[in-house]
Amino acid sequence: CGRAPRGAGERVARGQGRVAMGGRRQRVKRGRAFVGHRVALSPAAPDGTLDVLFCGHEVARFDLREAQR
């Protein structure tokens, strides 16, 4: 699918579409389709949200502030 956008990190989606980052795991909705594939995590805004991209298309958004609660 190409390279991740500049400033984005890449991860491989694991079972159930879970993506690990910073010692935490987040689940991508309908993530089973992405298991074993690379997804890019790109800062969406400085407020603690990340866009999850697959082949350059946004497939989810993680809110890291929510994960800390």
Side-chain angles (χ1 to χ4, degrees):
C1 289
R3 295 187 173 253
R6 187 179 190 120
E10 287 188 343
R11 302 286 190 280
V12 175
R14 301 292 178 197
Q16 302 281 321
R18 295 188 194 286
V19 177
M21 65 196 150
R24 290 182 269 193
R25 290 190 181 136
Q26 295 272 8
R27 185 169 181 262
V28 178
K29 286 186 178 182
R30 295 178 180 81
R32 289 182 182 170
F34 306 110
V35 172
H37 295 283
R38 291 187 178 276
V39 295
L41 303 175
S42 179
D47 66 354
T49 57
L50 294 173
D51 287 335
V52 181
L53 306 166
F54 180 74
C55 292
H57 299 279
E58 183 180 334
V59 295
R61 180 169 284 177
F62 291 158
D63 186 341
L64 301 180
R65 300 165 299 172
E66 216 173 79
Q68 292 175 349
R69 293 179 193 162

